[in-house]
């Protein structure tokens, strides 16, 4: 055959060229310029050529331009063309203005009948765009509603049914129909939503199938990847119905379980925005909707649905649409969003998944042998069958129980937080989870999975104790849940065998994790015991014995589940010094064994004496090094706790590493302490050591050691050295070995002195002095002279404090003379003969609060709370009257020579403030000027506490300006400002919060109400820090004493009714003696301020003192002090005023005229 003309292809298989229709007319949107043109464009034609498709495409572009064109004028003109076209069309006789709809619907029906799928899909998309376009304009509302009614006609519903029944692969037919149904539901706020659902046989047909149709993974074309899948369109349709439909319809839709399950099936394959929308809708429209019953919510969110949502924890991007940003900064990543949803759904009882109320019931089979433990009336010796003790609570949260089995809390932190939150909301799930979860073993191996599982177990054990877990009904403790409680303390994977293997590993992190788990178990076990004891206290007599037996059963089972303590002892002994955290944790675990499982602990031979002595020595050696000092202090606290429970402590045995015994190491360590908790622990431990060694009461030992601790007070020219503690340790060791000998020596000495020991005082100090007197002869030969002088200096302080704390003064003086006779060094003899200057600080320390000791270098009484404040003194010295005003007023310029911080801490600013209370107007004016200069310097400084102190001084200046210039500020105002300045310089002060609250009341102080304000804030309100009430009371009394100097101050106190409240406070039977002494000092200052007459007439102080002395059992100096106050009030009051007040009735009783004292 001849080659065709015009062909240039020489191949015998030439490709047939695609035929083009050059006669086709392309109509652009710019050509639709009037209504007539649009009418001709949409006219029905049975030709299915390219012109019909082009017309449909042109109309689609025209509709899109109305919604998206940036040219507002052009957009308005096109909208007008469309509206004119619709309103200008002739109406039919049946259905109103639908000629346009008739032409387009007829073309749509023709395409469906002729199986022209491309044309059908295009017209369906145009219908969607038309509804979307007219839904945004109120002018098209009527047209749009008529069009919706037309589409829901039975003829059109048949077309939709045919398209929705197409094969799954024909997404080009199904997807536009789903979009059209979505627009019908959303149009005009749900105008046609009810009609859409009423035709659910068509509109909801195969919806569960469509929800499972995703993008074909084999399709790799770029267009196909950008096109949403049928599942996406089906989800949009379902979302629209859940948002728009009324409550009854929504519940009916949700009742179709297959649709809801398909909604979450393989949710991990969806893209990010769709997942976020799906979870947000499920929470807002279902879970948070109160109209949806809880039982419906519970049936919807099954364990399968929750498991599908939990797959999002490993979400990495869906395959439906190209991955968008997986982490939105505003909304969080998909795993975080899923976690927030599951956390809310699984822990909120209102959402129907968690059954918080009646979440567990106790199944007690009444047909078995035994007793109904809820209402038992049996005798206390009733025995319980072993089978019943293994009964568990029936888990009502079965959905959550099944769902938790599918989680992996050991592999993901979010899943671990979810499971822990569910355990906290439903504690009965803890034993159920670990009983069923057998897929992972806790066998020790250092992997990320093991560490994650250990962290999960630790978090589970650390959950708070829930009364439902223990069936705490306030009447009895039930045996039925002992096993469940044990599972919450030590879950099933933590068997004694596995824990022992972990503790014997060479890997430090494994041992540390297991020890922390055991510590958490012991802490929770202690909480359970406390709860059980409360139940026993509240229970009736009939069930109390049963509850006690249940507690014994709990302790026994916990003992069986705990590993042998020998493994922990091995870890503690072999722990390297660098592993400080492991050593501290193992020591704490050992102390918990001794405290809660003493029988198990005493089975092992653990010598805490050597460990505690070594810890004392190590801590004292490195106390100045900040590194790991906190861990060492905690370690010592745990060892001290062990020593309290250990029965055989070798207090007087010396180790190879130390020249001191354990008791001596404790004394030395005490002087270097800064932590209050350890101070109190030592103060409790050492008296017990003396009590055990000498078989005397512990309170006597506490008094003796309180004086000894006080003698260690460091001064500028003295501090204790190692030789002092070696000397004291030797004396105590000798006393422990020969206690009878030295006791007899003391009695012989007293007999030789023809003196009888006061039986009200403790005798341990006397025996100890006999040892010191005996060993003093050997001291100069065995020690260098500098060490002897240091020990002598201490002894002088100790002897002074013994006299001060009511140890028999004559006996102490005799011992002082004997020791002085054996001393040859002149300096030592001088110290023993006279009271050193440092003793004045010791005397001052006696009146300070016992709990204020924080550092040995700090001015105060060492020993703190160990000093017994109820020891009376033999001699009585009344408080000194207030000093007169210094005529030189050094506080006016002293602050200028110091830095800001030094001026505050040194009290120089306080002295400047007190100049405002001077009786000289010139001094007050100069002080006010200096304070303004101070404020400027303070504001420009870098002092850390400048802001509150600036506020304080500013308010003080404003108050001084507002006060009368003719009279000084009351001393209470100046003292308050001076003391507040010191308080504000220390944010840890007990009064820091209350002072700041006072400063925030206003810029000017109400001077006449300052005393009453502070009395009310401290006496009538709780303290800012727990257990600091008496510290605040002591601060208040010091303030009131210092602020009471003149008769005007006394009158201010009277007007504020201060003394009435303080005298009422004095009647408290639990008031510490040091507070009573301060109150007594305040009354003396009232007398010094010419307030005797006020005390007698306003407060009947004389009768009050007599009643108070008769009510209280005073001894020694206390009785003398109150008698002295009574005498001073009698002698210094105004006789005529008192006589006029009493009508002459007190004259004979008090004999005032014969008891006048010279002023």
């Amino acid at each position: 055959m001849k080659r065709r003309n015009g062909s240039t292809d020489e191949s015998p298989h030439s490709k047939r060229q695609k035929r083009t229709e050059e006669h086709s007319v392309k109509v652009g949107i710019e050509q639709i310029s009037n209504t007539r043109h649009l009418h001709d464009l949409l006219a029905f034609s049975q030709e299915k050529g390219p012109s019909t498709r082009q017309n449909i495409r042109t109309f689609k572009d025209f509709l899109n331009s109305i919604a998206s064109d940036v040219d507002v004028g052009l957009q308005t003109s096109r909208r007008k063309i469309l509206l004119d076209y619709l309103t200008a069309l002739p109406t039919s006789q049946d259905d109103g203005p639908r000629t346009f709809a008739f032409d387009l619907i007829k073309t749509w029906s023709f395409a469906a009948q002729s199986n022209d799928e491309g044309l059908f899909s295009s017209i369906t998309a145009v219908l969607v765009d038309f509804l979307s376009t007219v839904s945004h304009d109120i002018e098209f509302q009527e047209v749009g509603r008529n069009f919706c009614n037309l589409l829901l006609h039975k003829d059109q519903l048949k077309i939709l049914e045919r398209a929705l029944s197409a094969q799954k692969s024909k997404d080009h037919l199904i997807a536009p129909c789903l979009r059209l149904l979505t627009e019908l539901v959303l149009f005009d706020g749900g105008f046609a939503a009810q009609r859409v659902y009423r035709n659910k046989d068509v509109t909801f047909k195969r919806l569960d199938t469509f929800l499972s149709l995703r993008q074909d993974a084999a399709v790799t074309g770029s267009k196909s990847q950008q096109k949403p899948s049928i599942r996406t369109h089906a989800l949009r349709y379902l979302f629209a119905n859940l948002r728009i439909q009324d409550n009854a319809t929504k519940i009916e839709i949700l009742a179709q379980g297959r649709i809801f399950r398909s909604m979450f099936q393989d949710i991990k394959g969806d893209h990010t925005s769709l997942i976020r929308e799906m979870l947000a809708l499920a929470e807002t429209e279902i879970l948070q909707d109160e109209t949806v019953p809880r039982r419906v919510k519970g049936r919807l969110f099954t364990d399968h649905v929750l498991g599908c949502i939990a797959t999002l924890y490993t979400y990495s991007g869906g395959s439906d649409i190209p991955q968008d940003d997986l982490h939105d900064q505003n909304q969080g990543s998909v795993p975080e969003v899923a976690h927030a949803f599951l956390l809310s759904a699984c822990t909120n009882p209102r959402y129907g998944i968690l059954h918080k109320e009646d979440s567990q019931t106790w199944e007690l089979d009444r047909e078995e042998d035994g007793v109904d433990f809820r209402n038992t009336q049996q005798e206390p010796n009733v025995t319980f069958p072993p089978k019943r003790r293994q009964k568990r609570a029936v888990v009502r949260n079965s959905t959550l129980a099944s769902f938790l089995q599918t989680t992996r809390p050991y592999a993901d932190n979010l899943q671990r937080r979810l499971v822990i939150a569910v355990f906290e909301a439903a504690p009965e799930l803890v034993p159920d989870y670990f009983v069923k979860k057998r897929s992972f073993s806790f066998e020790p191996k250092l992997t990320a999975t093991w560490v994650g599982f250990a962290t999960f177990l630790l978090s589970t054990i650390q959950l708070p104790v829930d009364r439902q877990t223990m069936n705490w009904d306030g009447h009895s403790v039930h045996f039925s849940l002992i096993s469940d409680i044990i599972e919450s303390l030590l879950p099933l994977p933590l068997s004694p065998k596995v824990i022992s293997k972990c503790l014997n590993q060479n890997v430090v992190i494994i041992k540390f994790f297991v020890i922390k788990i055991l510590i958490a178990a012991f802490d929770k076990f202690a909480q359970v015991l406390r709860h059980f004891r409360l139940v026993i206290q509240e229970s009736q007599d009939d069930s109390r014995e049963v509850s006690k037996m249940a507690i014994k059963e709990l302790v026994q089972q916990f003992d069986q589940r705990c590993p042998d303590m020998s493994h922990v002892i091995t870890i503690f002994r072999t722990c390297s010094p660098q592993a400080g955290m492991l050593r501290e944790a193992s020591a704490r675990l050992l102390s918990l064994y001794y405290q809660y499982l003493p029988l198990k602990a005493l089975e092992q031979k653990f010598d805490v004496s050597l460990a505690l002595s070594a810890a004392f020595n190590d801590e004292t050696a490195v106390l100045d090094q900040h590194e790991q000092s906190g861990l060492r202090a905690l370690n010592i606290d745990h060892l001290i706790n062990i020593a309290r429970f250990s029965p055989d402590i070798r207090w007087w045995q010396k180790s190879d590493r130390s020249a001191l015994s354990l008791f001596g190491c404790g004394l030395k360590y005490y002087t270097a302490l800064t932590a209050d908790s350890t101070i109190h622990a030592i103060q409790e431990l050492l008296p017990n050591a003396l009590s055990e060694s000498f078989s005397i009461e512990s309170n006597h030992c506490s008094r003796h050691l309180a004086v000894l601790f006080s003698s260690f007070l460091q001064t500028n020219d003295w501090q204790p050295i190692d030789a002092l503690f070696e000397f004291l340790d030797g004396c105590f060791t000798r006393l422990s070995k020969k206690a009878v000998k030295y006791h007899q020596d003391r009695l012989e000495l007293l007999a030789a002195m023809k003196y009888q020991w006061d039986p009200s005082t403790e005798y341990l100090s006397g025996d100890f002095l006999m040892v010191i007197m005996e060993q003093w002869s050997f001291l100069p030969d065995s020690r260098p002279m500098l060490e002897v002088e240091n020990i002598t200096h201490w002894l002088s302080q100790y002897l002074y404090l013994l006299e001060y704390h009511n140890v028999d003064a004559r006996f102490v003086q005799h011992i002082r003379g004997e020791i002085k006779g054996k001393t040859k060094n002149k300096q030592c003899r001088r110290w023993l003969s006279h009271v050193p200057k440092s003793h004045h600080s010791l005397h001052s320390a006696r009146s300070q609060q016992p709990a204020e000791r924080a550092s040995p270098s700090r001015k105060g009484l060492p020993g703190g709370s160990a000093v017994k404040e109820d020891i009376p003194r033999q001699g009585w010295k009344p408080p000194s009257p207030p000093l007169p005003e210094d005529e030189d007023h050094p506080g006016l310029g002293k602050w200028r020579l110091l830095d800001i911080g030094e001026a505050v801490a040194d009290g120089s600013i306080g002295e400047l403030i007190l100049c405002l209370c001077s009786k000289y107007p010139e001094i007050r004016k100069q002080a006010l000027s200096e304070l303004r200069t101070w404020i400027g310097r303070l504001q420009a400084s870098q002092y850390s506490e400048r802001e509150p102190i600036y506020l304080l001084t500013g308010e003080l200046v404003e108050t001084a300006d507002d006060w009368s210039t003719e009279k000084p500020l009351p001393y209470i105002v100046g003292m308050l400002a001076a003391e507040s300045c010191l308080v504000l310089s220390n944010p840890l002060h007990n009064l820091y919060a209350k002072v700041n609250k006072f400063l925030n009341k206003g810029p000017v102080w109400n001077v006449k109400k300052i005393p009453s304000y502070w009395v009310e804030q401290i006496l009538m309100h709780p303290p800012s820090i727990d257990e600091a009430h008496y510290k605040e009371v002591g601060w208040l009394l010091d303030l009131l004493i210092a602020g009471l100097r003149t008769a005007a101050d006394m009158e201010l106190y009277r007007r504020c009714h201060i003394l009435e409240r303080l005298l009422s406070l004095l009647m408290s039977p639990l008031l510490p003696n040091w507070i009573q002494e301060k109150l007594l000092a305040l009354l003396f200052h009232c007398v010094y301020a010419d307030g005797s007459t006020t005390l007698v007439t306003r407060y009947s102080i004389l009768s009050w003192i007599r009643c108070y002395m008769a009510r209280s059992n005073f001894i020694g100096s206390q009785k003398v002090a109150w008698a002295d106050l009574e005498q001073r009030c009698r002698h210094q009051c105004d006789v005529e005023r008192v006589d006029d007040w009493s009508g002459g009735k007190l004259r004979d009783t008090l004999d005032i005229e014969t008891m006048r004292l010279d002023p």
Side-chain angles (χ1 to χ4, degrees), residues 265-519:
Q265 188 69 34
D266 296 331
I267 188 177
K268 189 177 179 181
D270 296 324
H271 59 86
T272 307
S273 60
L274 193 61
I275 292 175
R276 289 197 179 103
E277 183 180 3
M278 189 186 312
L279 295 180
L281 180 134
E283 184 168 6
T284 57
E285 300 297 333
I286 301 176
L287 293 178
Q288 295 180 357
D289 191 351
E290 298 294 341
T291 61
V292 180
R294 290 181 66 254
R295 52 183 176 79
V296 175
K297 299 175 185 178
R299 286 201 300 264
L300 290 176
F301 289 93
T302 61
D303 56 330
H304 175 74
V305 173
L306 295 176
C308 292
I309 301 175
T311 59
L312 296 176
Y313 280 113
T314 57
Y315 180 79
S316 59
S319 60
D320 193 12
I321 286 182
Q323 295 185 16
D324 38 22
D325 188 11
L326 298 182
H327 183 83
D328 190 337
Q329 293 182 355
N330 297 325
Q331 299 180 356
S333 63
V334 170
E336 291 174 351
V337 173
H339 172 71
F341 175 82
L342 290 174
L343 191 64
S344 176
C346 297
T347 58
N348 194 331
R350 295 187 298 109
Y351 291 170
I353 303 174
L354 173 67
H355 300 285
K356 191 69 173 179
E357 298 179 0
D358 195 21
S359 60
Q360 57 187 17
T361 57
W362 319 113
E363 290 295 315
L364 300 176
D365 189 0
R366 299 176 182 270
E367 296 181 358
E368 294 180 1
D369 294 334
V371 187
D372 182 359
F373 306 126
R374 288 184 176 271
N375 301 292
T376 179
Q377 301 292 334
Q378 300 241 350
E379 294 298 325
N381 58 356
V382 62
T383 58
F384 298 89
K387 288 179 61 180
R388 187 177 304 278
R389 297 180 184 178
Q390 301 302 322
K391 281 287 183 180
R392 297 185 181 277
V394 174
V395 177
R396 295 303 182 188
N397 289 291
S398 57
T399 299
L400 290 176
S402 301
F403 163 62
L404 293 183
Q405 295 297 322
T406 64
T407 58
R408 302 174 69 242
Y410 47 83
D412 184 76
N413 286 332
L414 290 178
Q415 295 188 57
R416 175 175 58 84
R417 287 160 54 186
L418 172 65
V419 176
I420 294 301
V422 175
F423 283 167
E424 187 172 5
E428 81 277 4
L429 294 179
V430 176
D432 179 80
Y433 176 84
F434 289 104
V435 167
K436 297 178 181 177
K437 192 76 171 180
R438 302 297 183 94
S439 60
F440 186 80
S441 173
F442 198 60
E443 292 290 334
K445 36 189 168 179
L446 189 58
T447 61
T449 304
W450 188 92
V451 173
F453 196 60
T455 305
F456 170 61
L457 287 174
L458 179 60
S459 301
T460 302
I461 297 174
Q462 288 176 341
L463 287 173
V465 176
D466 185 84
R467 60 187 296 168
Q468 287 185 353
T469 307
M470 302 178 298
N471 190 25
W472 183 10
D473 57 6
H475 300 289
S476 62
V477 180
H478 302 295
F479 273 80
S480 56
L481 282 188
I482 294 297
S483 58
D484 283 347
I485 296 175
I486 292 297
E487 291 299 331
S488 67
L489 298 176
L490 286 174
L492 196 60
L494 296 173
S495 63
K497 181 178 179 181
V498 172
I499 296 177
S500 300
K501 287 184 179 180
C502 296
L503 293 175
N504 291 323
Q505 292 292 309
N506 294 326
V507 184
V508 175
I509 191 174
I510 293 180
K511 294 188 288 188
F512 181 74
F513 258 116
V514 175
I515 289 177
K516 295 295 288 184
I517 288 174
L518 290 175
I519 290 174

Side-chain angles (χ1 to χ4, degrees), residues 24-77:
S24 63
V25 180
K26 181 177 181 181
V27 183
I29 62 173
E30 66 278 356
Q31 297 180 8
I32 303 178
S33 57
N34 53 63
T35 305
R36 183 63 185 175
H37 192 182
L38 186 57
H39 180 274
D40 295 339
L41 188 70
L42 297 177
F44 171 71
S45 175
Q46 292 188 354
E47 297 182 2
K48 295 189 298 182
S51 59
T52 304
R53 293 187 177 90
Q54 182 63 37
N55 292 342
I56 297 299
R57 188 178 301 110
T58 300
F59 183 59
K60 177 181 176 64
D61 295 338
F62 175 76
L63 293 174
N64 292 335
S65 67
I66 294 177
S68 60
D69 202 322
V70 295
D71 190 346
V72 179
L74 187 60
Q75 189 180 38
T76 304
S77 63

Side-chain angles (χ1 to χ4, degrees), residues 532-713:
F532 277 179
R533 292 190 179 101
L534 289 176
V535 173
I536 292 178
Q537 294 177 2
E538 298 173 1
S539 61
Q540 301 176 357
D541 295 338
D542 297 334
S543 58
R544 184 169 299 174
E545 293 299 329
V546 179
S547 301
K548 290 181 180 180
M549 296 183 65
I551 293 179
K552 292 181 180 179
E553 177 72 14
L554 174 66
V555 174
Q556 181 181 357
Q557 290 196 24
F558 184 73
D559 188 304
Q560 295 174 357
R561 293 292 295 271
C562 288
D564 195 81
M565 201 181 74
S566 60
H567 307 295
V568 188
I569 296 175
T570 303
I571 295 176
F572 179 79
R573 288 174 175 173
T574 60
C575 186
S576 63
Q578 292 76 18
M581 296 183 66
L582 179 61
R583 186 176 182 84
E584 183 273 331
S586 58
R588 182 182 178 187
L589 182 57
L590 289 175
S591 68
L592 292 173
Y593 266 100
Y594 274 94
Q595 186 172 358
Y596 296 106
L597 298 179
L599 296 180
K600 198 178 191 71
L602 295 177
E603 292 175 356
Q604 306 298 325
K605 295 182 179 180
F606 177 60
D607 188 3
V608 71
S609 308
L610 297 178
L612 187 57
S613 178
F616 282 152
N617 292 327
D618 294 342
E619 179 66 14
T620 306
V622 298
L623 193 63
D624 295 334
Q625 301 179 8
H626 179 70
E627 182 180 2
Q628 290 189 344
S629 60
L631 290 176
R632 291 192 181 95
L634 289 175
N635 184 30
I636 290 178
D637 287 343
H638 303 323
L639 292 176
I640 290 175
N641 194 30
I642 295 175
R644 290 173 55 195
F645 294 97
S646 183
D648 50 352
I649 303 296
R650 294 178 291 178
W651 292 105
W652 313 110
Q653 181 179 356
K654 297 180 181 180
S655 63
D656 298 336
R657 298 176 52 189
S658 175
L660 301 176
S661 66
L662 176 58
F663 186 85
C665 292
L667 284 178
K668 182 179 178 181
Y669 176 68
Y670 175 85
T671 61
L673 283 177
T674 58
D676 291 340
S677 60
T678 310
I679 289 174
H680 298 323
I682 288 289
Q683 290 172 350
E684 293 179 1
L685 179 66
L686 296 184
N688 292 336
L690 295 181
S691 178
E692 293 175 5
S693 301
F694 304 126
S695 300
I696 58 178
E697 295 181 5
S698 179
N699 60 340
H700 290 296
C701 300
S702 299
R703 294 183 182 183
H704 170 70
L705 288 180
V707 179
L708 185 62
F709 292 153
S710 302
S711 67
F712 294 144
L713 174 67

Side-chain angles (χ1 to χ4, degrees), residues 197-236:
Y197 185 73
R198 279 200 297 267
N199 296 281
K200 59 185 177 182
D201 293 340
V202 176
T203 56
F204 277 80
K205 185 178 182 180
R206 301 178 67 199
L207 183 58
D208 56 333
T209 303
F210 297 152
L211 288 171
S212 62
L213 297 181
R214 298 181 177 275
Q215 188 73 38
D216 190 357
V219 179
T220 57
S222 60
K223 282 188 176 182
S224 297
Q225 287 184 353
Q226 295 177 0
K227 190 160 90 173
S229 65
I230 295 179
R231 170 177 167 80
T232 302
H233 293 303
L235 285 173
R236 303 291 185 195

Side-chain angles (χ1 to χ4, degrees), residues 966-1032:
E966 298 179 357
K967 56 182 180 180
L969 276 175
Y971 269 100
I972 184 64
V973 179
M975 288 305 304
L976 173 64
E979 292 296 327
S980 298
C981 192
L982 296 177
V983 170
L984 295 176
S985 65
N986 180 17
L988 299 179
H989 198 280
N990 301 321
L991 273 300
Y992 188 81
K994 291 187 176 180
V995 171
N996 278 281
K997 180 181 178 181
F998 171 73
L999 295 180
N1000 291 329
K1001 287 176 63 64
V1004 179
W1005 300 350
N1006 190 344
V1007 175
K1008 297 181 180 180
K1009 293 185 178 180
I1010 282 180
S1012 59
Y1013 171 83
W1014 280 102
V1015 169
E1016 180 180 358
Q1017 288 296 317
I1018 292 180
L1019 296 185
M1020 308 302 293
H1021 289 76
S1024 302
I1025 302 176
D1026 294 341
E1027 300 180 358
H1029 174 67
Y1030 287 119
K1031 293 182 181 180
E1032 295 187 1

